[in-house]
């Protein structure tokens, strides 16, 4: 006890010299007075972190640390300091945020006893490399060194027993034969006693579960780092600590890793192919390194060739097949796949052949033809096995390499007919859901001919907000499904699905997706030789082009669509197409033709008793009549549209009628009346999906305020509109910002 007493004497001497009580020292060191008292009386080990904190509080310049180190050295078993950690990964890349979180967990005094860090993640994601890299940087803080064991929880061979590993640890710590002869509980107690005197870092790699490692967990002062391919809820429940769900590398870090091995000059030649390679490697470090090794060994292999080789599910895994079981992707994923229950394994296979890479519980249920509750449970199992990844909106995604593996499993284990039926179910479900959602955005948008195709697909009516949320979440997946489905059962669905989103696109102005949908639909309809599909796709394409300012192309495509709908006798899509064509003609200053098509659309909407169509059409017709010189009739038409809008439960329709009436009054010089309607429109356009519409109203409002002489308010409205346009990357932002500056300068 000499050095413990010497340590205690030094603490008491230093605190008295500094006028501090034991309680003061404890408070500043962030430990309880009771704990500090037990430490000074030899009832608690002199842990390095605790001693370092007390040394700092008392400004002892390392004196207390030296005394504590001397005591630990003389009191240890055999004085052995094992250093079992494997070598650090050369050129370790990325993970800066994760490393900072691990550092913070180590430094946190509130963590109490053993600091526990659990690193979970998919195969080849770099769990062990991260653990080794971090531990390498902290080893000098732990007098007990480092104990490392591959537990083989999910790997070739039999998982290691805790008895075997514990005996190895005791021997490494210098324990005698007598310490190895007791029961498992006795040996565990001895292991913890040794590490209580000499805290160490214990790395337990690739564990199976808590029962495998519970006897290998030391007491206070040491750090334990655990890695596992499966979620370790039981371990975390009992030990707490930092849980790290390690994702794939960001693209930039994956590219840096590829460049470090394959050569930066090589990536500079074809950066697009380089990015395709790392993405198709799933951004997994080991996969990227295998690809880099392949490039190193084959100077004639271009990045483009490798990217093409990795492009298809059927051949993507060829590069990662090897006699070495540690880098043979089939053997590595087999370990997780073969451990799945049959139902979960089947769902995993079907995810490989699904035309979409993202699923919800509902869409997974459709894919596998099971109940949604069961699908949710199976997805949870796949998540715990790190075979799918959670994404926003309660959905799951499957990465490139796992998808390719699941695809190959499906080819072997599923009947081709079942695969086609699964793809057809998903396509039909998404199409029916898209039609239902978009029909909620603009009621009675779809016509009965298309609705009848989905009489057997149950789709409850969605509210506006629910429909908008579903479209926001699922539009990208839906378009992917329409493009990727390869089933002869699909027929017309491949053009119906992408064109179903026209109301959503018209409201949100997601131009890129809009054009993709229109062109995908046109390709599918042309391949199917469907006149109706071609007409609808041209309609969607024309609306998108009109919104993008491509007036000539819009007029051409909408004219073609209108002619085809006339041949088919499809009245409702013909009415909407005539309305869209009239808008495009107005943009092209062809006012006479525009009014003729607005009137034709109005007649069709009235015949169909389509109140929303009538209201929207008349609101636009009013502006066309004003531009054509029919000022009084234009005002009557705009007021009629506003009156009709009040009977429709839609802020979007009501705001449109107010906006157009406000713009019309502005053009007539009735500025105060215009401002009232524009203020109403602005108040109704506050939702995120109304940003473009709000910007349009703010611009008109600013023009009105300028005419009234309220230049500061006009400048503020222009600025607000410019901010919105910049946020949605609208090219008008610069012009509107210039207007704001001009009004501000005139005010000054």
């Amino acid at each position: 006890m000499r050095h413990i007493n010497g340590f205690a004497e030094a603490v008491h001497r230093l605190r008295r010299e500094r006028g501090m009580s034991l309680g003061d020292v404890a408070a500043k060191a962030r430990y309880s007075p009771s704990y500090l008292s037990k430490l000074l009386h030899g009832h608690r080990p002199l842990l390095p972190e605790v001693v370092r904190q007390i040394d700092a509080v008392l400004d002892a310049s390392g004196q207390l640390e030296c005394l504590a180190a001397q005591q630990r050295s003389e009191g240890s078993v055999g004085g052995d300091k094992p250093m079992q950690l494997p070598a650090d990964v050369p050129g370790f890349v990325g993970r800066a945020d994760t490393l900072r979180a691990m550092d913070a967990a180590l430094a946190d005094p509130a963590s109490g006893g053993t600091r526990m860090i659990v690193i979970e993640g998919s195969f080849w994601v770099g769990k062990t490399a991260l653990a080794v890299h971090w531990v390498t940087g902290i080893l000098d803080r732990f007098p007990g060194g480092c104990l490392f064991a591959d537990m083989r929880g999910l790997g070739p061979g039999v998982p290691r027993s805790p008895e075997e590993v514990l005996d190895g640890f005791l021997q490494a710590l210098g324990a005698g034969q007598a310490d190895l002869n007791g029961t498992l509980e006795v040996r565990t107690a001895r292991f913890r006693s040794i590490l209580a005197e000499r805290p160490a870092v214990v790395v337990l790699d690739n564990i199976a579960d808590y029962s495998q490692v519970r006897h290998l967990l030391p007491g206070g002062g040491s750090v334990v780092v655990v890695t596992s391919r499966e979620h370790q809820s039981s371990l975390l429940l009992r030990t707490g600590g930092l849980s790290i769900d390690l994702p794939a590398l960001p693209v930039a870090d994956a590219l840096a890793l590829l460049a470090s091995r394959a050569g930066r000059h090589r990536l500079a030649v074809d950066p697009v192919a380089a990015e395709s390679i790392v993405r198709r490697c799933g951004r997994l470090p080991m996969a990227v390194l295998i690809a880099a090794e392949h490039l190193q060994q084959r100077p004639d292999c271009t990045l483009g060739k490798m990217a093409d080789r990795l492009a298809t599910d059927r051949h993507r895994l060829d590069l990662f097949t090897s006699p070495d079981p540690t880098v043979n992707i089939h053997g590595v994923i087999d370990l997780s796949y073969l451990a799945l229950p049959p139902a979960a394994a089947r769902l995993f296979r079907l995810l490989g052949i699904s035309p979409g890479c993202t699923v919800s519980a509902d869409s997974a249920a459709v894919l596998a033809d099971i109940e949604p509750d069961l699908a949710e449970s199976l997805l949870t199992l796949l998540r715990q096995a790190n075979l799918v990844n959670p994404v926003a909106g309660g959905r799951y995604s499957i990465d490139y390499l796992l998808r390719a593996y699941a695809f190959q499993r499906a080819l072997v284990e599923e009947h081709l007919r079942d695969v086609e039926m699964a793809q057809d179910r998903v396509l039909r479900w998404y199409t029916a859901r898209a039609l239902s959602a978009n029909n909620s955005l603009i009621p009675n948008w779809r016509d009965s001919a298309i609705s009848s195709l989905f009489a057997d697909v149950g789709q409850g009516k969605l509210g506006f907000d629910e429909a908008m949320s579903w479209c926001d979440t699922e539009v990208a997946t839906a378009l992917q499904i329409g493009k990727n489905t390869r089933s002869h059962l699909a027929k017309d669905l491949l053009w119906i699905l992408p064109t179903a989103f026209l109301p959503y696109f018209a409201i949100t102005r997601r131009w890129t997706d809009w054009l993709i949908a229109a062109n995908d639909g046109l390709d599918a309809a042309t391949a199917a030789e469907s006149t109706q599909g071609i007409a609808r796709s041209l309609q969607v394409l024309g609306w998108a082009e009109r919104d993008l300012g491509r007036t000539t192309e819009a007029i051409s495509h909408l004219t073609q669509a209108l002619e085809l709908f006339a041949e088919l006798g499809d009245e409702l899509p013909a009415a909407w197409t005539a309305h869209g064509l009239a808008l495009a003609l107005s943009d092209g200053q062809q006012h006479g033709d525009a009014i003729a098509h607005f009137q034709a659309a109005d007649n069709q909407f009235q015949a169909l008793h389509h109140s929303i169509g009538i209201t929207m059409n008349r609101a636009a017709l009013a502006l066309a009549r004003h531009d054509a010189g029919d000022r009084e009739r234009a005002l009557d038409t705009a007021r009629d549209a506003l009156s009709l809008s009040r009977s429709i439960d839609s802020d979007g329709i009501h705001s449109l009628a107010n906006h157009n009436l406000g713009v019309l009054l502005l053009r007539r010089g009735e500025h105060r009346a215009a401002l009232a309607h524009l203020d109403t429109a602005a108040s109704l356009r506050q939702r995120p999906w109304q940003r473009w519409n709000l910007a349009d109203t703010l611009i008109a409002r600013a023009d009105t305020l300028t005419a009234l002489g309220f230049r500061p308010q006009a400048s503020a409205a222009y600025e607000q509109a410019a901010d919105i346009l910049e946020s949605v990357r609208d090219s008008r932002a610069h012009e509107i910002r210039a207007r704001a500056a001009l009004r501000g300068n005139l005010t000054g």
Side-chain angles (χ1 to χ4, degrees):
M1 300 294 289
R2 177 171 57 84
H3 293 290
I4 293 181
N5 290 337
F7 177 83
E9 289 171 2
V11 169
H12 288 305
R13 174 176 55 79
L14 289 168
R15 73 170 178 80
R16 284 194 293 267
E17 289 175 358
R18 289 152 179 72
M20 299 172 67
S21 68
L22 192 62
D24 293 336
V25 176
K28 291 191 175 184
R30 298 177 68 182
Y31 294 102
S32 70
S34 173
Y35 175 81
L36 187 56
S37 176
K38 292 175 182 177
L39 183 83
L40 297 178
H41 285 85
H43 301 308
R44 292 290 184 272
L46 297 175
L47 304 178
E49 290 294 327
V50 178
V51 173
R52 186 179 298 112
Q53 191 72 9
I54 297 171
D55 191 280
V57 168
L58 294 174
D59 195 21
S61 301
Q63 176 187 351
L64 297 178
E65 291 184 271
C66 290
L67 285 170
Q70 186 179 359
Q71 185 275 327
R72 284 193 296 265
S73 176
E74 293 188 5
S76 64
V77 177
D80 291 351
K81 183 177 180 179
M83 299 297 290
Q84 298 180 341
L85 189 70
D88 193 7
V89 177
F92 185 87
V93 170
R95 308 298 192 194
D97 290 343
T98 305
L99 291 167
R100 280 193 290 270
M102 296 169 78
D103 288 340
L106 178 63
D108 183 8
S111 58
T114 302
R115 268 67 61 92
M116 173 69 70
I117 297 176
V118 180
I119 305 172
E120 302 169 346
S122 183
F123 73 101
W124 288 1
V125 78
K127 301 180 293 296
T128 304
L130 173 64
V132 170
H133 181 72
W134 182 73
V135 171
T136 298
I138 65 165
L139 272 180
D140 60 347
R141 307 186 199 180
F142 294 88
C146 177
L147 299 165
F148 182 95
D150 179 0
M151 302 304 294
R152 295 201 299 263
L154 200 63
V158 179
R160 297 185 68 182
S161 69
E163 293 87 350
E164 173 196 355
V165 176
L166 180 59
D167 287 349
F169 283 175
L170 286 169
Q171 290 172 347
L173 291 166
Q177 187 60 42
D179 294 315
L180 303 176
N181 291 335
T183 65
L184 178 60
E185 298 297 336
V186 169
R187 282 138 60 203
T188 298
R190 183 58 180 145
F191 168 67
R192 290 171 179 161
S193 297
I194 295 171
L195 293 192
E197 295 296 329
R198 286 187 297 151
V201 182
V202 179
V203 181
L204 303 173
D205 191 37
N206 190 17
I207 75 165
D209 52 32
Y210 172 70
S211 65
Q212 188 189 26
V213 299
R214 69 186 185 92
H215 292 97
L216 306 175
L217 304 179
S222 293
V223 171
V224 179
V225 181
V226 167
T227 75
S228 177
R229 204 191 294 184
E230 298 183 332
H231 181 53
Q232 296 297 327
S233 56
S234 183
L235 172 64
L236 289 165
L237 180 66
R238 289 170 169 83
T239 65
L242 175 64
S243 174
I244 297 172
D245 186 2
L246 195 63
L249 289 171
V251 170
D253 289 343
L255 284 170
L257 181 60
L258 182 64
S260 70
R261 299 295 181 91
R264 297 187 183 282
H265 63 284
R266 201 164 182 180
L267 269 65
V269 172
D270 194 346
V272 174
E275 182 169 338
S276 294
I277 288 171
V278 298
R279 287 186 183 279
R280 290 165 184 171
C281 286
R283 296 176 286 115
L284 300 172
M286 179 61 78
V288 172
L289 289 173
I290 292 172
E293 174 68 16
H294 185 88
L295 290 169
Q296 280 183 308
Q297 297 299 319
R298 296 166 179 79
D300 60 324
C301 180
T302 66
L303 295 177
K305 287 180 180 178
M306 175 168 283
D308 291 342
R309 182 178 179 183
L310 294 171
T312 63
D313 288 335
R314 190 179 296 273
H315 299 294
R316 185 172 298 143
L317 301 187
D318 294 351
L319 182 65
F320 309 105
T321 302
S322 168
D324 182 349
T326 62
V327 292
N328 181 1
I329 195 167
H330 295 280
V332 170
I333 305 178
D334 278 351
L335 297 168
S336 295
Y337 172 74
L338 296 175
L340 293 172
R346 175 175 175 267
L347 178 57
F348 177 68
R349 291 193 299 273
L350 293 176
L351 292 176
I353 56 87
S354 173
C357 294
T358 303
V359 295
S360 63
D362 287 339
S363 62
V366 172
L367 175 68
D369 198 18
I370 56 178
E371 292 298 318
D373 288 347
L374 176 57
E376 183 68 63
S377 298
L378 297 179
L379 286 169
T380 299
L381 285 175
L382 295 177
R383 170 70 189 100
Q384 291 172 344
N386 279 296
L387 293 173
V388 296
N389 300 310
V391 294
R395 299 174 302 153
Y396 299 87
S397 67
I398 181 169
D399 71 24
Y400 277 98
L401 298 182
L402 284 168
R403 179 180 173 85
Y405 175 92
F407 175 85
Q408 292 187 3
R409 280 282 181 178
L411 291 183
V412 174
E413 300 181 43
E414 299 289 333
H415 294 294
L416 178 59
R417 175 70 176 176
D418 292 338
V419 169
E420 286 192 332
M421 290 180 66
Q423 291 186 333
D424 184 64
R425 284 194 300 270
V426 171
L427 179 62
R428 286 177 60 78
W429 183 83
Y430 264 98
T431 305
R433 189 75 168 177
L435 287 167
S436 176
N438 282 271
N439 203 54
S440 296
L441 300 180
I442 299 182
N444 301 318
W445 160 259
R446 63 184 182 186
D447 60 87
S448 58
I450 289 182
S451 299
S452 65
L453 297 175
F454 300 95
D456 60 328
V457 182
Q459 293 291 335
K461 182 174 176 58
L462 302 176
F464 185 95
D465 289 342
E466 187 181 2
M468 183 63 70
S469 176
W470 186 88
C471 289
D472 283 338
T473 301
E474 295 286 5
V475 62
T477 299
L479 296 181
Q480 184 183 55
I481 286 170
K483 192 176 186 67
N484 293 342
T485 299
R486 295 291 182 267
S487 169
H488 73 277
L489 302 174
K491 297 182 180 178
D492 289 333
L493 300 185
L494 295 179
W495 64 259
I496 294 176
L497 176 55
T499 59
F501 284 95
L502 178 54
Y504 171 73
F505 292 140
I507 291 171
T508 62
R509 300 185 183 179
R510 286 178 58 165
W511 291 305
T512 300
D513 287 340
W514 196 346
L515 289 172
I516 290 172
N519 284 292
D520 286 352
L522 187 57
D523 289 344
T526 302
E529 299 181 346
S530 169
T531 301
Q532 185 184 32
I534 293 171
R536 284 190 173 273
S537 300
L538 288 170
Q539 177 199 47
V540 174
L541 183 58
W543 274 74
E545 290 167 336
R546 184 259 162 182
D547 219 47
L548 286 166
R550 302 174 186 175
T551 304
T552 302
E553 295 95 324
I555 291 172
S556 174
H557 288 133
L558 289 168
T559 299
Q560 293 176 57
L562 188 59
E563 291 171 353
L564 291 174
F565 283 131
E567 292 177 14
L568 294 166
D570 286 351
E571 295 180 346
L572 183 57
W576 282 113
T577 304
H579 173 71
L581 178 56
L583 291 171
L585 290 166
S586 290
D587 295 339
Q589 305 300 309
Q590 300 178 43
H591 302 305
D593 289 341
I595 291 172
H597 282 92
F598 276 132
Q599 290 175 329
D602 189 78
N603 292 335
Q604 289 172 305
F605 282 131
Q606 287 193 73
L608 295 166
H609 305 289
H610 200 293
S611 58
I612 288 179
I614 296 169
T615 304
M616 292 178 64
N617 192 68
R618 290 185 183 177
L621 173 59
L623 296 178
R625 281 177 168 162
H626 178 87
D627 292 340
D630 194 353
R631 291 168 56 89
E632 295 309 314
R633 196 174 180 191
L635 185 58
D636 289 341
T637 304
R639 286 173 172 164
D640 184 39
L642 180 62
S643 177
L644 289 169
S645 74
R646 294 184 178 122
S647 64
I648 300 171
D649 184 19
S650 169
D651 287 346
I653 301 299
H654 195 46
S655 69
L656 173 66
N658 272 282
H659 173 88
N660 282 21
L661 179 53
V663 170
L664 181 62
L665 291 168
L666 170 61
R667 294 178 183 177
R668 289 170 60 91
E670 300 176 29
H671 299 128
R672 292 194 178 277
L675 188 61
H677 288 290
L678 292 171
D679 284 345
T680 299
S683 70
L684 295 170
R685 292 180 164 182
Q686 295 298 316
R687 296 187 182 183
W689 49 267
Q690 295 171 308
R691 291 173 296 176
W692 278 283
N693 294 330
L694 176 59
D696 290 339
T697 298
L698 289 170
I699 293 168
R701 185 175 183 274
D703 291 342
T704 306
L705 290 166
T706 299
L708 288 168
F710 301 139
R711 297 189 184 281
Q713 295 92 327
S715 180
Y718 282 133
E719 287 285 0
Q720 188 180 354
D723 288 342
I724 295 172
L725 294 174
E726 281 185 356
S727 73
V728 296
R729 300 180 181 179
D730 191 307
S731 60
R732 294 178 293 163
H734 180 72
E735 175 200 344
I736 301 305
R737 189 78 71 192
R739 285 197 213 175
L742 177 62
R743 300 298 180 270
N745 291 336
L746 291 173
T747 300

